[in-house]
Amino acid sequence: MTAPLDAGVFDLRCSHRMPIRVGDKWSGLILRCLEDGGRRFGEVKAALRGVAPKVLTETLRAMERDGWVTRTAYDENPPRVEYALTELGRSLLGPLNAACAWAREHLDELPHAQERTPTA
Amino acid sequence: MTAPLDAGVFDLRCSHRMPIRVGDKWSGLILRCLEDGGRRFGEVKAALRGVAPKVLTETLRAMERDGWVTRTAYDENPPRVEYALTELGRSLLGPLNAACAWAREHLDELPHAQERTPTA
DNA sequence: CAGTATCCGGTTTGATACTG
DNA sequence: CAGTATCAAACCGGATACTG
């Protein structure tokens, strides 16, 4: 099992707000959540502070449909479900890192960086 | 003056629909419009077939505020306005190209590529 | 725990017509 | 030509409560 996700993970890896995003509001962040290994629904939800369970489910299902993540449900009680990146999903980390690198380098040049929509 | 924009430009450079986008719906496309030099409002509008003038204006103004493009109005009649990339805006082409490269390479692996929301 | 079911509000995008 | 004004719709994204 991988280390628990630090709640401040996104502040550490790359700036939270960026002018480039993957798909919808949460997909890029979820990619980051899963890059070190499979995570449970609750883990991802906790890392994405504030996301509604409905929205998280929708996003994860969309990513599953697109072949970026796998969903594995274990028949236990209480239930346990694990999400993990596919090879395809992992390949998205390349362009995502390029975007994060750009943000780290140029974010301070954006006059209105603080008001932009939240992204990955 | 640069060559007129081919109406099919986006089909040639990289696939029109991508899982990564810049900012809002049109910003990435506009970046592509301007990468070969300044363009007039009407040129960009024609290349982005179907965009409402209101939306295009809003998007261009937002990009201007963020320091990605410059707007130059010539006091002529009929009026002429030119939009061009700044150095900062040009630097976005790096990550954008990384995203386009990803799309070219993996788009056929996306089960639902056709139904995704339009992006850059 | 891992979701569904509802309801809801705001932002985003658009169609259309008009103007300096 | 390069926009603005107005109106309308769609589309997220979210709050909250509930369930196997």
Side-chain angles (χ1 to χ4, degrees):
Chain A
M1 179 197 158
T2 49
L5 277 179
D6 175 9
V9 62
F10 297 124
D11 302 323
L12 302 174
R13 289 184 211 231
C14 71
S15 107
H16 189 150
R17 289 165 178 275
M18 287 207 328
I20 297 194
R21 44 182 195 177
V22 179
D24 52 40
K25 181 168 179 178
W26 300 105
S27 301
L29 262 12
I30 293 174
L31 243 38
R32 289 282 178 217
C33 278
L34 301 181
E35 70 176 331
D36 292 329
R39 299 285 180 185
R40 304 181 58 161
F41 184 88
E43 283 185 290
V44 178
K45 183 166 170 350
L48 273 41
R49 277 170 291 187
V51 68
K54 188 200 77 168
V55 173
L56 182 54
T57 300
E58 286 169 357
T59 305
L60 285 168
R61 294 282 200 273
M63 295 173 77
E64 195 189 355
R65 275 198 306 276
D66 280 348
W68 299 357
V69 305
T70 56
R71 176 182 184 277
T72 311
Y74 299 90
D75 194 7
E76 307 171 356
N77 199 300
R80 182 163 65 94
V81 177
E82 278 239 341
Y83 294 91
L85 289 187
T86 62
E87 267 313 302
L88 182 60
R90 189 162 297 279
S91 73
L92 265 169
L93 292 172
L96 184 60
N97 284 333
C100 286
W102 186 94
R104 271 193 301 275
E105 211 172 325
H106 297 285
L107 199 63
D108 54 346
E109 303 174 42
L110 294 181
H112 299 268
Q114 299 318 312
E115 295 92 334
R116 303 291 292 174
T117 57
T119 43
Chain B
M1 179 199 159
T2 48
L5 277 180
D6 176 9
V9 62
F10 295 124
D11 302 324
L12 302 174
R13 288 183 212 233
C14 71
S15 103
H16 189 150
R17 288 163 181 278
M18 287 205 328
I20 296 193
R21 46 182 190 173
V22 179
D24 53 39
K25 182 168 178 177
W26 301 104
S27 301
L29 263 10
I30 293 175
L31 242 39
R32 288 282 178 216
C33 279
L34 302 180
E35 68 177 332
D36 292 331
R39 298 287 180 184
R40 304 181 59 161
F41 184 87
E43 284 185 288
V44 178
K45 182 166 171 352
L48 272 42
R49 278 170 291 188
V51 68
K54 190 199 75 168
V55 173
L56 181 54
T57 300
E58 288 169 357
T59 306
L60 285 168
R61 294 281 201 274
M63 295 174 77
E64 196 190 352
R65 276 197 307 277
D66 280 348
W68 300 357
V69 305
T70 56
R71 177 182 183 276
T72 311
Y74 299 91
D75 193 8
E76 305 171 359
N77 196 301
R80 184 164 64 93
V81 177
E82 279 238 341
Y83 294 91
L85 290 187
T86 62
E87 267 312 302
L88 182 60
R90 190 162 295 280
S91 74
L92 264 169
L93 291 172
L96 184 60
N97 285 333
C100 285
W102 185 93
R104 272 194 301 276
E105 212 172 323
H106 298 286
L107 198 66
D108 55 345
E109 303 174 41
L110 294 181
H112 298 267
Q114 299 317 312
E115 294 92 333
R116 302 292 291 174
T117 58
T119 44

